[in-house]
Amino acid sequence: MKLPVISSEHLAQLQAFEVKILCNHAKIEAWFRSQWNVHRPPFYGSVDIRNAGYKISSIDMNLFPGGFNNLNPNFIPLAAVAAQDAVQRACETAKSVLIIPENHTRNTFYLQNVYALGEILRSAGYEVRLGSLNPEVTEPAEFETALGDKILLEPLLRTRDRVHLADGFSPCVVLLNNDLSAGIPDILKGISQTVLPPLHGGWTTRRKTNHFGAYNQVAAEFAKLIGIDEWQINPYFEKIGGLDFQGREGEDALAEAVERVLAKIQAKYDESGITDKPFVIVKADAGTYGMGVMSVKSADEVRGLNRKNRNKMAKVKEGLEVSEVIVQEGIYTYETLNGAVCEPVVYMMDRFVIGGFFRVHEGRGADENLNAGGMVFVPLSNSIPTGNGDNSQEAPEACKRVFEQWDSLGMPRSEKDCDVDNVHNRLYVYGVMARLSLLAASIELEETA
């Protein structure tokens, strides 16, 4: 199996870190088991990971992943086992699941994601139907996905404290594949059914800084467990509120935060002998789809934003105005595939890793956000396809064949656990990093309930 390559300058540092993970495999898995006894994992999630060799960490956690169409169909049996566990935890007697998708009826790649998610749940032995919040869906309507599959969207209705479809279909589990950027709809408030993920996990109330606050706790405990510097797996961050990008309000406070975080990174670089130039990522504290994000290397860059960049930062999905941001330590991505920078994205269901892909961007640098127009999701055994991916649901056909040989999901594949040359073992390391973020999401949801 072909993995992206990491620059020789940073390979030794990465391998030293991988040895720490692999040689502590049994200790790590025992620790995760103990954590899941205390903290209930979200129903599902996906994690973006950046790998600089000397530092590898989650940089974002999505509680409403929309790229199930990009997962290898060969892993559906694995995902189905995880789905069974997750649904049963929510409702022991569940026989069916009602999925509530986004309102993207014209985005055929998103619809393909909904179809793929439904197939996982059907393989797990559940009847699956789709209840739409879209006001344009006033009666059952069939839509065609990007690959020609058919899905049926039906209007979501409510009677007293239960949501249902027109024929009375009203299961005990309601699965959101809608991140609630537009707000929590009244039809879902106070229902007696179990909603997964919970409503407060949507971007109406969720904040990235809450997640990384919880991640601080997880990273510190994990670093102590295996004897590493916590900084290796945890980016610095600050939260800044009271912003109005259009009116240039809060600009100085943002610039000062950028200066502080850059100074902390530089001090750590100096201590570690790292010659890279520090940068930070400024992004909306609530939001998704890679919107409201910019890479910054000096405070002057946020003091002198031009109109185009102010407009880019001012609003995110559903026109949500940005008044709060996270200023997060930037992590270089020194992994490349055929010369293009890339980053792993790992998918999980319940507490299990079920797949993933590499996000690749030929037009972006090692210090830039890759979740942007022009990205593609590349099968590891082939060359980079041509074409644009305007978002995670609109990648080319070739990009659906992901992690084709990743048959060691969640576990190392070597008689010598510390074998860094076994390609499957690097994937195990990615899975560990992703599960740290999943655990942080568990704590985050508990603390913000």
Side-chain angles (χ1 to χ4, degrees), residues 124-191:
Y126 298 102
E127 180 185 1
V128 179
R129 290 170 69 179
L130 308 175
S132 178
L133 296 169
N134 191 332
E136 297 178 5
V137 179
T138 57
E139 59 184 27
E142 189 174 74
F143 292 87
E144 185 171 319
T145 70
L147 297 182
D149 295 304
K150 308 289 186 183
I151 64 170
L152 182 68
L153 294 182
E154 303 178 65
L156 187 68
L157 306 173
R158 176 168 175 166
T159 300
R160 292 182 291 278
D161 64 348
R162 295 186 71 87
V163 291
H164 57 88
L165 303 181
D167 62 358
F169 182 81
S170 182
C172 60
V173 174
V174 176
L175 178 60
L176 289 176
N177 197 243
N178 183 314
D179 64 22
L180 306 180
S181 291
I184 299 175
D186 289 340
I187 196 171
L188 294 178
K189 293 178 180 177
I191 62 173

Side-chain angles (χ1 to χ4, degrees), residues 1-4 337-338 342 356-358 360 377-383 401-406 427:
M1 178 175 123
K2 180 179 179 182
L3 276 176
L337 190 60
N338 290 5
C342 63
F357 49 80
F358 278 94
V360 182
F377 304 144
V378 177
L380 301 186
S381 58
N382 295 338
S383 60
R401 302 189 304 276
V402 292
F403 278 155
E404 290 181 337
Q405 299 179 42
W406 188 359
L427 299 175

Side-chain angles (χ1 to χ4, degrees), residues 166-418:
D167 62 358
F169 182 81
S170 182
C172 60
V173 174
V174 176
L175 178 60
L176 289 176
N177 197 243
N178 183 314
D179 64 22
L180 306 180
S181 291
I184 299 175
D186 289 340
I187 196 171
L188 294 178
K189 293 178 180 177
I191 62 173
S192 60
Q193 294 137 295
T194 299
V195 180
L196 301 171
L199 294 176
H200 69 275
W203 287 122
T204 307
T205 52
R206 189 184 182 218
R207 296 295 180 265
K208 294 176 184 179
T209 44
N210 287 339
H211 175 77
F212 283 99
Y215 186 82
N216 282 343
Q217 172 186 334
V218 171
E221 188 172 338
F222 182 79
K224 184 178 180 181
L225 177 77
I226 65 171
I228 61 171
D229 182 350
E230 179 191 340
W231 177 78
Q232 286 184 269
I233 58 170
N234 192 8
Y236 297 132
F237 75 92
E238 281 195 29
K239 176 176 182 173
I240 297 296
L243 297 172
D244 179 350
F245 282 96
Q246 298 284 21
R248 310 194 83 135
E249 293 180 14
E251 197 172 82
D252 287 338
L254 176 57
E256 289 165 5
V258 168
E259 284 181 333
R260 286 192 297 269
V261 177
L262 286 172
K264 289 179 70 175
I265 302 168
Q266 186 64 67
K268 197 65 184 182
Y269 280 8
D270 292 343
E271 175 189 319
S272 306
I274 296 167
T275 58
D276 286 333
K277 183 176 178 61
F279 72 101
V280 297
I281 297 293
V282 178
K283 52 188 174 184
D285 205 13
T288 187
Y289 287 8
M291 301 173 71
V293 180
M294 61 181 174
S295 178
V296 174
K297 290 187 175 177
S298 78
D300 289 341
E301 292 180 44
V302 296
R303 283 195 178 99
L305 284 181
N306 59 31
R307 180 178 297 179
K308 177 181 177 182
N309 285 328
R310 291 202 308 273
N311 289 340
K312 185 178 92 169
M313 292 298 299
K315 293 184 179 181
V316 290
K317 184 185 171 194
E318 303 287 356
L320 188 67
E321 292 189 3
V322 176
S323 62
E324 300 171 324
V325 299
I326 177 173
V327 179
Q328 185 181 55
E329 175 185 354
I331 301 175
Y332 285 85
T333 177
Y334 285 133
E335 288 184 294
T336 60
L337 190 60
N338 290 5
V341 294
C342 63
E343 61 189 12
V345 182
V346 178
Y347 275 62
M348 294 157 293
M349 192 167 280
D350 197 69
R351 62 195 184 278
F352 304 105
V353 176
I354 63 166
F357 49 80
F358 278 94
R359 178 185 288 121
V360 182
H361 204 306
E362 291 182 288
R364 292 284 172 117
D367 59 351
E368 294 183 282
N369 170 38
L370 304 189
N371 189 5
M375 66 179 170
V376 291
F377 304 144
V378 177
L380 301 186
S381 58
N382 295 338
S383 60
I384 296 174
T386 58
N388 292 322
D390 292 334
N391 60 40
S392 59
Q393 287 81 39
E394 295 178 350
E397 166 77 15
C399 301
K400 289 185 294 298
R401 302 189 304 276
V402 292
F403 278 155
E404 290 181 337
Q405 299 179 42
W406 188 359
D407 53 1
S408 62
L409 297 172
M411 291 296 153
R413 283 287 305 278
S414 173
E415 293 180 2
K416 299 185 299 178
D417 279 348
C418 303

